[in-house]
Amino acid sequence: MEKLPTEGGIARILANPSPDSASDVPEIVLQVVDLKPIGNSSTRYTFMASDGKMKVKAMLPTHFASEINSGNLQNLGLIRVLDYTLNSIPNQTEKALIVTKCEVVASSFDSEIKSEVKKEAEMENEAIKVNKEEAAPSIVLKPKQETVVKSAMQIVKEERGNAAPAARLSMTRRVHPLVSLNPYQGNWTIKVRVTNKGNLRTYRNAKGEGHVFNVELTDEDGTQIQATMFNEAAKKFYPKFELGKVYYISKGSLRIANKQFKTVQNDYEMTLNENALVEEAEGEVFIPETKYNFVKIDQLGSYVNSRELIDVIGIVQNVSSTLSIRRKSDNETIPKRDITIADDSNKTVVVSLWNDLATNIGQELLDMVDTSPVVAIKSLKVGEFQGVSLSTVSKSVVQINPDLPEALKLRTWYDSEGKGASMASIGSDMVSPNAKNGARSMYSDRVFLSHITSDPSLGHDKPEFFSINAYISLIKGDQTMWYRACKTCNKKVSEATDSGYWCESCGKSDDQCSLRYIMILKVSDPTGEAWLSVFNEQAEKIIRCSADELERIKNEEGDDQYQMKLKEAMWVPHLFRVSVTQNEYMGEKRQRITVRSQALVDPATESKYLLEEIAKLSV
């Protein structure tokens, strides 16, 4: 028999808006109607939950994004609600259903399921009947006077003096999963483990000096959130929170997370003031389920130099020996080991394991590298060494051959076709081929020209770096294109009094010198145009000859051939990595954009990048 939505399911939810536990939730199957992302987010989704007769606005937390992206949970599909909470919507009379746990019953139907509509009076009677049958017990179980937040000492004296502190708080109030929390929710209590503890830091701003401290909290479902405390709250809770211990927390507030500074995958961040309630769950220990939000290796370019930490999964291709690296900050020597992993995008990336991960997990991987194990790594920093590289941080977690569907899929791919496939490093097509000393990614910080030219304050305090994709639209042939340089140090030389050229830097004269480019060219993109300063290494790639050769063309072949050579370089698309600074000229500050590296646009790589950007917009 085909599964259908539960008749009267919405009425049951409205009658019991906050069940005490998941075991109190009856089996309710609802249809997902009008599934769509919230704003520009690709992790949180909203839909109308329908039982065939009634509907209610509903939301899915972040961890359901993988189910939606994989196609397992689709619009017009059926879900079985296993746990939920019903929250009020600010400035509206309706409520929103937050589905914290569910399972997919059917992926999708051809159309919305609608039951025969009863008369309005009958529907009202049915809702009243359900309300009497199911709402009444919840009122008895949760009398109004027990919803008042009490301190731990009050609870000890008044109600459960013989119970453990953790038991007191958990029995007094329902523990909410982190995925159900939002800024508009009222009182809540969470049970979390401290999985990362920051230092108590001092900061200074216009208001004076203050203190700040943050922790990362994880619940039993593996959902994480960052909690921040300032000033008195920071001093109060810094000694209270201990890494690895479990706590009950209430009376905190939530707000939208600042993407620039967030360190966990959560749309919200928590603030605890000195009035927050924090109790250690003594005797209770749980290991949070590790939840991953994997990023394909070929999609890592957009995360380069981002503060956001990412998760990857791949087949181990190579493991290096342990190296000893001297840290600049304190001159301490720490162990490092590099591993190379690949995935079904046919790309590889180098992951640097540090400290204990290098000596323990790294050695284990070295011993089994011949078996090509699957490795899943959580919380990696994406850097730009050799284009794109990954590095573990203090809270990184590494699992070898994890029991995950993604691992099984990857193993099947590798055994069937990946083992013999041609692999390429993600860095090979993500950077300029002529950038040196740790090439910068041409796909990080990508902006249009208007982003730079419309903000005269850019680069005021320090240089700011961007990547652009633009056409060279003009190279003035009458400008100073080069300067005479010392063949030893490349510094500018002057004509010697007798003969040859004098280098002030080297303190010597030479019979010969070389020419080095120093030029300005105009570039254009769909949003505008700008003048870029270009130096020798980049100019040689653009003009496709040295400055000495271009001078020879101008002197020996004539001005027409010289101008033709310049025109050949125009209207060619380039990827530029540029710095933006402020220079003063004739008493007026001007913006200066300097090319630091460049590369011709590779159509395949650029198309892949654009498709990824379009996918982000469409989701």
Side-chain angles (χ1 to χ4, degrees), residues 489-510:
C489 67
N490 293 330
K491 296 292 182 66
K492 187 176 182 179
V493 297
S494 58
E495 292 187 5
T497 53
D498 47 1
S499 63
Y501 302 93
W502 171 258
C503 176
E504 187 70 31
S505 178
C506 296
K508 64 178 183 179
S509 61
D510 197 328

Side-chain angles (χ1 to χ4, degrees), residues 382-402:
V382 186
E384 60 180 7
F385 179 70
Q386 294 182 346
V388 179
S389 61
L390 301 177
S391 182
T392 59
V393 294
S394 59
K395 64 175 183 175
S396 297
V397 177
V398 180
Q399 285 188 300
I400 301 174
N401 293 324

